[in-house]
Amino acid sequence: MGRKIQFRRGPEAERLQTVLANGEPGWSPETEQLFIGDGQTLGGQPLSMGRYKVISTDTQAAIGGKYMFNAGCKLHLPDNVPEGSQIQFNVLTSANLNANDKAKIIAPAGKSLRKDGETGTEYHTSLIINRTAIYVNSEWEIL
């Protein structure tokens, strides 16, 4: 049997206040997300998740995360993230969303959300289509 390797892990609030050493891995059990340290960025740099996290209640997104809506609920985008940060989201066919019950992407307080040249603070969808939110020029943009 091989050797056991442990990653730094702990509460998300603690990770956000910690600078991981260059190459040091860190695991957030709350967001089920892996981060790699660069020696200068609080919380480290996120690695893109290899799977979607299925959500059916309001959820705080983690950068690099992939989210699959299973019901009409809100996905809150994070604030104070590095330029170029991404989050992916989609809707399950079994979610049965409609005009009255939609998946909602929510910008952080005081920030905007842009889609097709329109700016607001929320993006609503019931479509089963993969979308990416990317943080560019101090705002989130839906691609």
Side-chain angles (χ1 to χ4, degrees), residues 34-110:
L34 180 63
F35 296 83
I36 300 295
D38 61 7
Q40 57 189 6
T41 304
L42 284 173
Q45 299 291 334
L47 294 180
S48 181
M49 288 181 174
R51 64 176 176 79
Y52 281 90
K53 182 175 183 177
V54 178
I55 61 172
S56 55
T57 60
D58 293 357
T59 301
Q60 178 64 46
I63 51 178
K66 295 180 177 180
Y67 298 89
M68 185 70 68
F69 285 91
N70 192 30
C73 60
K74 297 176 183 175
L75 181 64
H76 295 272
L77 298 176
D79 199 3
N80 300 323
V81 298
E83 186 84 0
S85 296
Q86 295 183 26
I87 295 169
Q88 293 181 8
F89 57 95
N90 206 335
V91 175
L92 285 169
T93 56
S94 60
N96 294 319
L97 299 182
N98 56 52
N100 296 323
D101 189 24
K102 295 183 176 188
K104 298 175 182 168
I105 309 302
I106 310 297

